[in-house]
Amino acid sequence: FGQRKKQMDRFKAFFGWQQAREEEKKELTCYHIYGYLGCPYFHKATKIARDAQNNESNNVKVEVTTTSRKDWHTDVESTIQKYGAEEAAKQHRTCPIIFDGCSQSPSFVGGYTEFKRLVEERHKINDS
């Protein structure tokens, strides 16, 4: 019985190591969410991003930045300039505004609706 237990322990250790190696291989996904606290869509976007982040099968980093509603448009313009975002981002006027990517120049996703679609597709997370 002792020999069998040692074999099982080695087996578990090997596959635990293999699983850890597989998790290391998962590509990091980064989301940047900008919004103001009074916006319900901002809260919905942060919730599904956190759901994706908390799912063990994902490797997700979420950066959330809040501003006041009064400063929203000014802050969005400076964020778009900081990222050198494409033309579509420059036309975005609603809260939240969301970017995807871990580089210094993440790509523009859109607002809540576009982000929800992306997360559902990529991470199989559904906002209920």
Side-chain angles (χ1 to χ4, degrees):
F1 178 74
Q3 183 66 20
R4 178 86 173 143
K5 181 171 177 358
K6 285 180 185 177
Q7 287 175 336
M8 287 302 293
D9 288 344
R10 281 191 293 239
F11 180 79
K12 287 178 186 175
F14 174 76
F15 281 100
W17 175 80
Q18 285 292 91
Q19 184 176 3
R21 299 264 310 156
E22 288 300 316
E23 288 174 8
E24 286 176 19
K25 292 179 188 175
K26 290 181 186 168
E27 189 174 330
L28 178 64
T29 301
C30 300
Y31 298 119
H32 308 271
I33 304 171
Y34 297 84
Y36 53 88
L37 292 177
C39 174
Y41 292 101
F42 170 69
H43 291 284
K44 285 179 155 197
T46 58
K47 180 194 177 304
I48 61 173
R50 297 288 184 213
D51 288 348
Q53 185 176 37
N54 293 333
N55 184 326
E56 291 179 12
S57 66
N58 297 322
N59 188 9
V60 176
K61 178 182 173 189
V62 178
E63 178 185 283
V64 176
T65 304
T66 59
T67 187
S68 68
R69 187 169 188 163
K70 180 182 89 165
D71 296 331
W72 168 248
H73 291 290
T74 305
D75 290 349
V76 166
E77 285 176 19
S78 66
T79 299
I80 289 169
Q81 285 178 350
K82 175 177 98 173
Y83 288 149
E86 57 264 25
E87 195 59 38
K90 294 175 185 173
Q91 303 303 316
H92 190 84
R93 298 286 179 249
T94 60
C95 175
I97 187 168
I98 303 167
F99 295 87
D100 172 20
C102 300
S103 70
Q104 292 293 96
S105 302
S107 60
F108 172 66
V109 173
Y112 169 72
T113 303
E114 295 83 8
F115 182 61
K116 178 179 186 269
R117 192 175 316 126
L118 173 70
V119 169
E120 286 175 348
E121 223 174 78
R122 187 180 281 170
H123 304 291
K124 310 302 183 234
I125 301 291
N126 195 348
D127 179 35
S128 333

PDB file of all heavy atoms in Angstrom, residues 73-109:
ATOM      1  N   HIS A  73     -15.242  64.157 -20.375  1.00  0.00           N
ATOM      2  CA  HIS A  73     -14.833  64.385 -21.764  1.00  0.00           C
ATOM      3  C   HIS A  73     -13.360  64.806 -21.877  1.00  0.00           C
ATOM      4  O   HIS A  73     -12.647  64.339 -22.767  1.00  0.00           O
ATOM      5  CB  HIS A  73     -15.756  65.392 -22.450  1.00  0.00           C
ATOM      6  CG  HIS A  73     -17.125  64.838 -22.671  1.00  0.00           C
ATOM      7  ND1 HIS A  73     -17.386  63.839 -23.578  1.00  0.00           N
ATOM      8  CD2 HIS A  73     -18.308  65.106 -22.068  1.00  0.00           C
ATOM      9  CE1 HIS A  73     -18.665  63.521 -23.542  1.00  0.00           C
ATOM     10  NE2 HIS A  73     -19.245  64.265 -22.622  1.00  0.00           N
ATOM     11  N   THR A  74     -12.898  65.638 -20.962  1.00  0.00           N
ATOM     12  CA  THR A  74     -11.497  66.060 -20.967  1.00  0.00           C
ATOM     13  C   THR A  74     -10.581  64.865 -20.708  1.00  0.00           C
ATOM     14  O   THR A  74      -9.571  64.679 -21.397  1.00  0.00           O
ATOM     15  CB  THR A  74     -11.264  67.133 -19.885  1.00  0.00           C
ATOM     16  OG1 THR A  74     -12.181  68.204 -20.101  1.00  0.00           O
ATOM     17  CG2 THR A  74      -9.841  67.648 -19.925  1.00  0.00           C
ATOM     18  N   ASP A  75     -10.949  64.040 -19.716  1.00  0.00           N
ATOM     19  CA  ASP A  75     -10.126  62.870 -19.382  1.00  0.00           C
ATOM     20  C   ASP A  75     -10.121  61.838 -20.500  1.00  0.00           C
ATOM     21  O   ASP A  75      -9.087  61.218 -20.767  1.00  0.00           O
ATOM     22  CB  ASP A  75     -10.622  62.227 -18.077  1.00  0.00           C
ATOM     23  CG  ASP A  75     -10.335  63.098 -16.862  1.00  0.00           C
ATOM     24  OD1 ASP A  75      -9.580  64.086 -16.991  1.00  0.00           O
ATOM     25  OD2 ASP A  75     -10.869  62.791 -15.781  1.00  0.00           O
ATOM     26  N   VAL A  76     -11.249  61.655 -21.163  1.00  0.00           N
ATOM     27  CA  VAL A  76     -11.304  60.706 -22.276  1.00  0.00           C
ATOM     28  C   VAL A  76     -10.408  61.186 -23.416  1.00  0.00           C
ATOM     29  O   VAL A  76      -9.658  60.401 -23.999  1.00  0.00           O
ATOM     30  CB  VAL A  76     -12.759  60.495 -22.765  1.00  0.00           C
ATOM     31  CG1 VAL A  76     -12.797  59.801 -24.121  1.00  0.00           C
ATOM     32  CG2 VAL A  76     -13.533  59.684 -21.748  1.00  0.00           C
ATOM     33  N   GLU A  77     -10.468  62.465 -23.715  1.00  0.00           N
ATOM     34  CA  GLU A  77      -9.610  63.008 -24.782  1.00  0.00           C
ATOM     35  C   GLU A  77      -8.129  62.789 -24.464  1.00  0.00           C
ATOM     36  O   GLU A  77      -7.355  62.391 -25.340  1.00  0.00           O
ATOM     37  CB  GLU A  77      -9.899  64.496 -24.990  1.00  0.00           C
ATOM     38  CG  GLU A  77     -11.200  64.755 -25.718  1.00  0.00           C
ATOM     39  CD  GLU A  77     -11.532  66.234 -25.829  1.00  0.00           C
ATOM     40  OE1 GLU A  77     -10.619  67.073 -25.671  1.00  0.00           O
ATOM     41  OE2 GLU A  77     -12.708  66.538 -26.058  1.00  0.00           O
ATOM     42  N   SER A  78      -7.733  63.029 -23.218  1.00  0.00           N
ATOM     43  CA  SER A  78      -6.318  62.839 -22.873  1.00  0.00           C
ATOM     44  C   SER A  78      -5.938  61.353 -22.893  1.00  0.00           C
ATOM     45  O   SER A  78      -4.816  60.999 -23.276  1.00  0.00           O
ATOM     46  CB  SER A  78      -5.983  63.471 -21.518  1.00  0.00           C
ATOM     47  OG  SER A  78      -6.640  62.811 -20.474  1.00  0.00           O
ATOM     48  N   THR A  79      -6.858  60.474 -22.532  1.00  0.00           N
ATOM     49  CA  THR A  79      -6.608  59.026 -22.589  1.00  0.00           C
ATOM     50  C   THR A  79      -6.422  58.582 -24.032  1.00  0.00           C
ATOM     51  O   THR A  79      -5.501  57.820 -24.347  1.00  0.00           O
ATOM     52  CB  THR A  79      -7.772  58.245 -21.948  1.00  0.00           C
ATOM     53  OG1 THR A  79      -7.872  58.627 -20.580  1.00  0.00           O
ATOM     54  CG2 THR A  79      -7.580  56.756 -22.056  1.00  0.00           C
ATOM     55  N   ILE A  80      -7.275  59.058 -24.906  1.00  0.00           N
ATOM     56  CA  ILE A  80      -7.180  58.717 -26.331  1.00  0.00           C
ATOM     57  C   ILE A  80      -5.852  59.207 -26.902  1.00  0.00           C
ATOM     58  O   ILE A  80      -5.170  58.487 -27.632  1.00  0.00           O
ATOM     59  CB  ILE A  80      -8.385  59.286 -27.109  1.00  0.00           C
ATOM     60  CG1 ILE A  80      -9.649  58.500 -26.729  1.00  0.00           C
ATOM     61  CG2 ILE A  80      -8.154  59.251 -28.605  1.00  0.00           C
ATOM     62  CD1 ILE A  80     -10.942  59.122 -27.208  1.00  0.00           C
ATOM     63  N   GLN A  81      -5.440  60.403 -26.526  1.00  0.00           N
ATOM     64  CA  GLN A  81      -4.153  60.932 -26.988  1.00  0.00           C
ATOM     65  C   GLN A  81      -2.998  60.112 -26.425  1.00  0.00           C
ATOM     66  O   GLN A  81      -2.034  59.816 -27.133  1.00  0.00           O
ATOM     67  CB  GLN A  81      -3.997  62.393 -26.582  1.00  0.00           C
ATOM     68  CG  GLN A  81      -4.839  63.327 -27.419  1.00  0.00           C
ATOM     69  CD  GLN A  81      -4.713  64.774 -26.960  1.00  0.00           C
ATOM     70  OE1 GLN A  81      -4.153  65.063 -25.911  1.00  0.00           O
ATOM     71  NE2 GLN A  81      -5.253  65.682 -27.757  1.00  0.00           N
ATOM     72  N   LYS A  82      -3.096  59.733 -25.154  1.00  0.00           N
ATOM     73  CA  LYS A  82      -2.036  58.948 -24.514  1.00  0.00           C
ATOM     74  C   LYS A  82      -1.810  57.637 -25.255  1.00  0.00           C
ATOM     75  O   LYS A  82      -0.680  57.218 -25.468  1.00  0.00           O
ATOM     76  CB  LYS A  82      -2.411  58.677 -23.048  1.00  0.00           C
ATOM     77  CG  LYS A  82      -1.452  57.763 -22.312  1.00  0.00           C
ATOM     78  CD  LYS A  82      -1.845  57.612 -20.853  1.00  0.00           C
ATOM     79  CE  LYS A  82      -2.626  56.350 -20.653  1.00  0.00           C
ATOM     80  NZ  LYS A  82      -2.908  56.058 -19.251  1.00  0.00           N
ATOM     81  N   TYR A  83      -2.901  56.999 -25.663  1.00  0.00           N
ATOM     82  CA  TYR A  83      -2.791  55.711 -26.341  1.00  0.00           C
ATOM     83  C   TYR A  83      -2.599  55.840 -27.850  1.00  0.00           C
ATOM     84  O   TYR A  83      -2.340  54.850 -28.524  1.00  0.00           O
ATOM     85  CB  TYR A  83      -4.033  54.861 -26.085  1.00  0.00           C
ATOM     86  CG  TYR A  83      -4.127  54.320 -24.683  1.00  0.00           C
ATOM     87  CD1 TYR A  83      -5.351  54.118 -24.099  1.00  0.00           C
ATOM     88  CD2 TYR A  83      -2.991  53.990 -23.956  1.00  0.00           C
ATOM     89  CE1 TYR A  83      -5.449  53.608 -22.807  1.00  0.00           C
ATOM     90  CE2 TYR A  83      -3.079  53.484 -22.674  1.00  0.00           C
ATOM     91  CZ  TYR A  83      -4.310  53.300 -22.107  1.00  0.00           C
ATOM     92  OH  TYR A  83      -4.412  52.798 -20.841  1.00  0.00           O
ATOM     93  N   GLY A  84      -2.751  57.048 -28.374  1.00  0.00           N
ATOM     94  CA  GLY A  84      -2.645  57.204 -29.818  1.00  0.00           C
ATOM     95  C   GLY A  84      -3.715  56.377 -30.517  1.00  0.00           C
ATOM     96  O   GLY A  84      -3.462  55.716 -31.517  1.00  0.00           O
ATOM     97  N   ALA A  85      -4.902  56.392 -29.954  1.00  0.00           N
ATOM     98  CA  ALA A  85      -5.987  55.527 -30.419  1.00  0.00           C
ATOM     99  C   ALA A  85      -6.462  55.897 -31.817  1.00  0.00           C
ATOM    100  O   ALA A  85      -6.303  57.023 -32.279  1.00  0.00           O
ATOM    101  CB  ALA A  85      -7.154  55.593 -29.449  1.00  0.00           C
ATOM    102  N   GLU A  86      -7.072  54.902 -32.450  1.00  0.00           N
ATOM    103  CA  GLU A  86      -7.562  55.075 -33.813  1.00  0.00           C
ATOM    104  C   GLU A  86      -8.769  56.020 -33.862  1.00  0.00           C
ATOM    105  O   GLU A  86      -9.314  56.416 -32.845  1.00  0.00           O
ATOM    106  CB  GLU A  86      -7.900  53.720 -34.441  1.00  0.00           C
ATOM    107  CG  GLU A  86      -8.899  52.916 -33.664  1.00  0.00           C
ATOM    108  CD  GLU A  86      -8.285  51.892 -32.718  1.00  0.00           C
ATOM    109  OE1 GLU A  86      -7.153  52.042 -32.279  1.00  0.00           O
ATOM    110  OE2 GLU A  86      -8.993  50.936 -32.399  1.00  0.00           O
ATOM    111  N   GLU A  87      -9.164  56.349 -35.047  1.00  0.00           N
ATOM    112  CA  GLU A  87     -10.224  57.329 -35.287  1.00  0.00           C
ATOM    113  C   GLU A  87     -11.524  56.972 -34.579  1.00  0.00           C
ATOM    114  O   GLU A  87     -12.218  57.848 -34.050  1.00  0.00           O
ATOM    115  CB  GLU A  87     -10.461  57.474 -36.797  1.00  0.00           C
ATOM    116  CG  GLU A  87     -11.255  58.693 -37.180  1.00  0.00           C
ATOM    117  CD  GLU A  87     -10.604  60.009 -36.737  1.00  0.00           C
ATOM    118  OE1 GLU A  87      -9.372  60.134 -36.784  1.00  0.00           O
ATOM    119  OE2 GLU A  87     -11.362  60.914 -36.332  1.00  0.00           O
ATOM    120  N   ALA A  88     -11.878  55.700 -34.538  1.00  0.00           N
ATOM    121  CA  ALA A  88     -13.134  55.291 -33.889  1.00  0.00           C
ATOM    122  C   ALA A  88     -13.155  55.709 -32.425  1.00  0.00           C
ATOM    123  O   ALA A  88     -14.185  56.138 -31.902  1.00  0.00           O
ATOM    124  CB  ALA A  88     -13.327  53.788 -34.008  1.00  0.00           C
ATOM    125  N   ALA A  89     -12.021  55.617 -31.746  1.00  0.00           N
ATOM    126  CA  ALA A  89     -11.953  56.017 -30.336  1.00  0.00           C
ATOM    127  C   ALA A  89     -12.190  57.513 -30.192  1.00  0.00           C
ATOM    128  O   ALA A  89     -12.820  57.957 -29.222  1.00  0.00           O
ATOM    129  CB  ALA A  89     -10.606  55.640 -29.745  1.00  0.00           C
ATOM    130  N   LYS A  90     -11.697  58.271 -31.148  1.00  0.00           N
ATOM    131  CA  LYS A  90     -11.865  59.725 -31.086  1.00  0.00           C
ATOM    132  C   LYS A  90     -13.327  60.136 -31.225  1.00  0.00           C
ATOM    133  O   LYS A  90     -13.726  61.199 -30.774  1.00  0.00           O
ATOM    134  CB  LYS A  90     -11.017  60.392 -32.170  1.00  0.00           C
ATOM    135  CG  LYS A  90      -9.538  60.209 -31.937  1.00  0.00           C
ATOM    136  CD  LYS A  90      -8.723  60.763 -33.080  1.00  0.00           C
ATOM    137  CE  LYS A  90      -7.255  60.441 -32.867  1.00  0.00           C
ATOM    138  NZ  LYS A  90      -6.443  60.807 -34.014  1.00  0.00           N
ATOM    139  N   GLN A  91     -14.138  59.268 -31.831  1.00  0.00           N
ATOM    140  CA  GLN A  91     -15.567  59.552 -32.001  1.00  0.00           C
ATOM    141  C   GLN A  91     -16.408  59.076 -30.812  1.00  0.00           C
ATOM    142  O   GLN A  91     -17.587  59.381 -30.728  1.00  0.00           O
ATOM    143  CB  GLN A  91     -16.084  58.891 -33.289  1.00  0.00           C
ATOM    144  CG  GLN A  91     -15.352  59.287 -34.542  1.00  0.00           C
ATOM    145  CD  GLN A  91     -15.363  60.792 -34.770  1.00  0.00           C
ATOM    146  OE1 GLN A  91     -16.376  61.447 -34.619  1.00  0.00           O
ATOM    147  NE2 GLN A  91     -14.205  61.344 -35.097  1.00  0.00           N
ATOM    148  N   HIS A  92     -15.794  58.320 -29.914  1.00  0.00           N
ATOM    149  CA  HIS A  92     -16.528  57.733 -28.780  1.00  0.00           C
ATOM    150  C   HIS A  92     -16.860  58.818 -27.762  1.00  0.00           C
ATOM    151  O   HIS A  92     -15.984  59.542 -27.310  1.00  0.00           O
ATOM    152  CB  HIS A  92     -15.682  56.636 -28.128  1.00  0.00           C
ATOM    153  CG  HIS A  92     -16.433  55.839 -27.121  1.00  0.00           C
ATOM    154  ND1 HIS A  92     -17.230  54.780 -27.471  1.00  0.00           N
ATOM    155  CD2 HIS A  92     -16.521  55.954 -25.775  1.00  0.00           C
ATOM    156  CE1 HIS A  92     -17.774  54.272 -26.382  1.00  0.00           C
ATOM    157  NE2 HIS A  92     -17.349  54.960 -25.344  1.00  0.00           N
ATOM    158  N   ARG A  93     -18.136  58.921 -27.390  1.00  0.00           N
ATOM    159  CA  ARG A  93     -18.569  59.982 -26.478  1.00  0.00           C
ATOM    160  C   ARG A  93     -19.273  59.461 -25.225  1.00  0.00           C
ATOM    161  O   ARG A  93     -19.605  60.236 -24.352  1.00  0.00           O
ATOM    162  CB  ARG A  93     -19.521  60.946 -27.204  1.00  0.00           C
ATOM    163  CG  ARG A  93     -18.885  61.652 -28.374  1.00  0.00           C
ATOM    164  CD  ARG A  93     -17.919  62.731 -27.878  1.00  0.00           C
ATOM    165  NE  ARG A  93     -17.286  63.395 -28.987  1.00  0.00           N
ATOM    166  CZ  ARG A  93     -15.999  63.279 -29.288  1.00  0.00           C
ATOM    167  NH1 ARG A  93     -15.215  62.521 -28.576  1.00  0.00           N
ATOM    168  NH2 ARG A  93     -15.481  63.921 -30.296  1.00  0.00           N
ATOM    169  N   THR A  94     -19.525  58.181 -25.138  1.00  0.00           N
ATOM    170  CA  THR A  94     -20.289  57.661 -24.008  1.00  0.00           C
ATOM    171  C   THR A  94     -19.380  56.965 -22.991  1.00  0.00           C
ATOM    172  O   THR A  94     -18.250  56.612 -23.289  1.00  0.00           O
ATOM    173  CB  THR A  94     -21.363  56.658 -24.482  1.00  0.00           C
ATOM    174  OG1 THR A  94     -20.717  55.576 -25.135  1.00  0.00           O
ATOM    175  CG2 THR A  94     -22.356  57.326 -25.422  1.00  0.00           C
ATOM    176  N   CYS A  95     -19.912  56.791 -21.811  1.00  0.00           N
ATOM    177  CA  CYS A  95     -19.213  56.106 -20.730  1.00  0.00           C
ATOM    178  C   CYS A  95     -19.712  54.670 -20.660  1.00  0.00           C
ATOM    179  O   CYS A  95     -20.919  54.449 -20.791  1.00  0.00           O
ATOM    180  CB  CYS A  95     -19.506  56.827 -19.412  1.00  0.00           C
ATOM    181  SG  CYS A  95     -18.828  56.021 -17.955  1.00  0.00           S
ATOM    182  N   PRO A  96     -18.786  53.727 -20.509  1.00  0.00           N
ATOM    183  CA  PRO A  96     -17.337  53.831 -20.389  1.00  0.00           C
ATOM    184  C   PRO A  96     -16.663  53.797 -21.753  1.00  0.00           C
ATOM    185  O   PRO A  96     -17.309  53.577 -22.768  1.00  0.00           O
ATOM    186  CB  PRO A  96     -16.974  52.568 -19.602  1.00  0.00           C
ATOM    187  CG  PRO A  96     -17.974  51.556 -20.085  1.00  0.00           C
ATOM    188  CD  PRO A  96     -19.247  52.345 -20.285  1.00  0.00           C
ATOM    189  N   ILE A  97     -15.357  53.989 -21.743  1.00  0.00           N
ATOM    190  CA  ILE A  97     -14.537  53.755 -22.925  1.00  0.00           C
ATOM    191  C   ILE A  97     -13.525  52.675 -22.528  1.00  0.00           C
ATOM    192  O   ILE A  97     -12.945  52.727 -21.439  1.00  0.00           O
ATOM    193  CB  ILE A  97     -13.849  55.035 -23.444  1.00  0.00           C
ATOM    194  CG1 ILE A  97     -13.142  54.759 -24.773  1.00  0.00           C
ATOM    195  CG2 ILE A  97     -12.944  55.656 -22.412  1.00  0.00           C
ATOM    196  CD1 ILE A  97     -12.677  56.015 -25.513  1.00  0.00           C
ATOM    197  N   ILE A  98     -13.352  51.680 -23.393  1.00  0.00           N
ATOM    198  CA  ILE A  98     -12.572  50.501 -23.019  1.00  0.00           C
ATOM    199  C   ILE A  98     -11.537  50.181 -24.097  1.00  0.00           C
ATOM    200  O   ILE A  98     -11.827  50.252 -25.290  1.00  0.00           O
ATOM    201  CB  ILE A  98     -13.511  49.294 -22.792  1.00  0.00           C
ATOM    202  CG1 ILE A  98     -14.549  49.662 -21.727  1.00  0.00           C
ATOM    203  CG2 ILE A  98     -12.727  48.049 -22.401  1.00  0.00           C
ATOM    204  CD1 ILE A  98     -15.707  48.728 -21.613  1.00  0.00           C
ATOM    205  N   PHE A  99     -10.343  49.805 -23.618  1.00  0.00           N
ATOM    206  CA  PHE A  99      -9.236  49.419 -24.489  1.00  0.00           C
ATOM    207  C   PHE A  99      -8.789  48.008 -24.123  1.00  0.00           C
ATOM    208  O   PHE A  99      -8.934  47.570 -22.986  1.00  0.00           O
ATOM    209  CB  PHE A  99      -8.063  50.391 -24.332  1.00  0.00           C
ATOM    210  CG  PHE A  99      -8.388  51.785 -24.783  1.00  0.00           C
ATOM    211  CD1 PHE A  99      -8.969  52.698 -23.915  1.00  0.00           C
ATOM    212  CD2 PHE A  99      -8.130  52.172 -26.080  1.00  0.00           C
ATOM    213  CE1 PHE A  99      -9.283  53.979 -24.336  1.00  0.00           C
ATOM    214  CE2 PHE A  99      -8.443  53.454 -26.510  1.00  0.00           C
ATOM    215  CZ  PHE A  99      -9.020  54.357 -25.641  1.00  0.00           C
ATOM    216  N   ASP A 100      -8.235  47.314 -25.105  1.00  0.00           N
ATOM    217  CA  ASP A 100      -7.800  45.927 -24.957  1.00  0.00           C
ATOM    218  C   ASP A 100      -6.342  45.826 -25.366  1.00  0.00           C
ATOM    219  O   ASP A 100      -5.977  46.219 -26.468  1.00  0.00           O
ATOM    220  CB  ASP A 100      -8.676  45.045 -25.859  1.00  0.00           C
ATOM    221  CG  ASP A 100      -8.221  43.604 -25.943  1.00  0.00           C
ATOM    222  OD1 ASP A 100      -7.477  43.143 -25.066  1.00  0.00           O
ATOM    223  OD2 ASP A 100      -8.625  42.931 -26.909  1.00  0.00           O
ATOM    224  N   GLY A 101      -5.517  45.306 -24.473  1.00  0.00           N
ATOM    225  CA  GLY A 101      -4.116  45.094 -24.814  1.00  0.00           C
ATOM    226  C   GLY A 101      -3.197  45.424 -23.660  1.00  0.00           C
ATOM    227  O   GLY A 101      -3.512  46.267 -22.830  1.00  0.00           O
ATOM    228  N   CYS A 102      -2.067  44.748 -23.623  1.00  0.00           N
ATOM    229  CA  CYS A 102      -1.103  44.922 -22.538  1.00  0.00           C
ATOM    230  C   CYS A 102       0.060  45.823 -22.937  1.00  0.00           C
ATOM    231  O   CYS A 102       0.949  46.078 -22.133  1.00  0.00           O
ATOM    232  CB  CYS A 102      -0.579  43.554 -22.088  1.00  0.00           C
ATOM    233  SG  CYS A 102      -1.887  42.465 -21.490  1.00  0.00           S
ATOM    234  N   SER A 103       0.054  46.311 -24.161  1.00  0.00           N
ATOM    235  CA  SER A 103       1.154  47.167 -24.625  1.00  0.00           C
ATOM    236  C   SER A 103       0.877  48.621 -24.256  1.00  0.00           C
ATOM    237  O   SER A 103      -0.158  48.951 -23.691  1.00  0.00           O
ATOM    238  CB  SER A 103       1.290  47.043 -26.142  1.00  0.00           C
ATOM    239  OG  SER A 103       0.184  47.652 -26.764  1.00  0.00           O
ATOM    240  N   GLN A 104       1.800  49.486 -24.617  1.00  0.00           N
ATOM    241  CA  GLN A 104       1.623  50.918 -24.395  1.00  0.00           C
ATOM    242  C   GLN A 104       0.555  51.499 -25.313  1.00  0.00           C
ATOM    243  O   GLN A 104       0.103  52.611 -25.096  1.00  0.00           O
ATOM    244  CB  GLN A 104       2.945  51.656 -24.627  1.00  0.00           C
ATOM    245  CG  GLN A 104       4.001  51.349 -23.589  1.00  0.00           C
ATOM    246  CD  GLN A 104       3.606  51.880 -22.222  1.00  0.00           C
ATOM    247  OE1 GLN A 104       3.057  51.160 -21.397  1.00  0.00           O
ATOM    248  NE2 GLN A 104       3.865  53.136 -21.996  1.00  0.00           N
ATOM    249  N   SER A 105       0.178  50.764 -26.350  1.00  0.00           N
ATOM    250  CA  SER A 105      -0.833  51.223 -27.299  1.00  0.00           C
ATOM    251  C   SER A 105      -1.933  50.176 -27.446  1.00  0.00           C
ATOM    252  O   SER A 105      -2.046  49.511 -28.478  1.00  0.00           O
ATOM    253  CB  SER A 105      -0.194  51.472 -28.666  1.00  0.00           C
ATOM    254  OG  SER A 105       0.823  52.415 -28.558  1.00  0.00           O
ATOM    255  N   PRO A 106      -2.781  50.038 -26.406  1.00  0.00           N
ATOM    256  CA  PRO A 106      -3.857  49.053 -26.515  1.00  0.00           C
ATOM    257  C   PRO A 106      -4.865  49.467 -27.573  1.00  0.00           C
ATOM    258  O   PRO A 106      -4.950  50.645 -27.938  1.00  0.00           O
ATOM    259  CB  PRO A 106      -4.482  49.048 -25.123  1.00  0.00           C
ATOM    260  CG  PRO A 106      -4.129  50.364 -24.544  1.00  0.00           C
ATOM    261  CD  PRO A 106      -2.831  50.777 -25.163  1.00  0.00           C
ATOM    262  N   SER A 107      -5.617  48.512 -28.061  1.00  0.00           N
ATOM    263  CA  SER A 107      -6.589  48.821 -29.115  1.00  0.00           C
ATOM    264  C   SER A 107      -7.941  49.191 -28.511  1.00  0.00           C
ATOM    265  O   SER A 107      -8.335  48.698 -27.454  1.00  0.00           O
ATOM    266  CB  SER A 107      -6.729  47.642 -30.082  1.00  0.00           C
ATOM    267  OG  SER A 107      -7.175  46.500 -29.384  1.00  0.00           O
ATOM    268  N   PHE A 108      -8.616  50.049 -29.209  1.00  0.00           N
ATOM    269  CA  PHE A 108      -9.930  50.537 -28.788  1.00  0.00           C
ATOM    270  C   PHE A 108     -10.968  49.431 -28.964  1.00  0.00           C
ATOM    271  O   PHE A 108     -11.051  48.820 -30.021  1.00  0.00           O
ATOM    272  CB  PHE A 108     -10.290  51.753 -29.652  1.00  0.00           C
ATOM    273  CG  PHE A 108     -11.680  52.263 -29.470  1.00  0.00           C
ATOM    274  CD1 PHE A 108     -12.085  52.821 -28.278  1.00  0.00           C
ATOM    275  CD2 PHE A 108     -12.593  52.186 -30.516  1.00  0.00           C
ATOM    276  CE1 PHE A 108     -13.369  53.308 -28.117  1.00  0.00           C
ATOM    277  CE2 PHE A 108     -13.882  52.660 -30.372  1.00  0.00           C
ATOM    278  CZ  PHE A 108     -14.275  53.227 -29.171  1.00  0.00           C
ATOM    279  N   VAL A 109     -11.739  49.175 -27.910  1.00  0.00           N
ATOM    280  CA  VAL A 109     -12.822  48.198 -27.970  1.00  0.00           C
ATOM    281  C   VAL A 109     -14.142  48.894 -28.251  1.00  0.00           C
ATOM    282  O   VAL A 109     -14.903  48.509 -29.121  1.00  0.00           O
ATOM    283  CB  VAL A 109     -12.947  47.393 -26.646  1.00  0.00           C
ATOM    284  CG1 VAL A 109     -14.187  46.511 -26.654  1.00  0.00           C
ATOM    285  CG2 VAL A 109     -11.700  46.580 -26.411  1.00  0.00           C
TER     286      VAL A 109
END
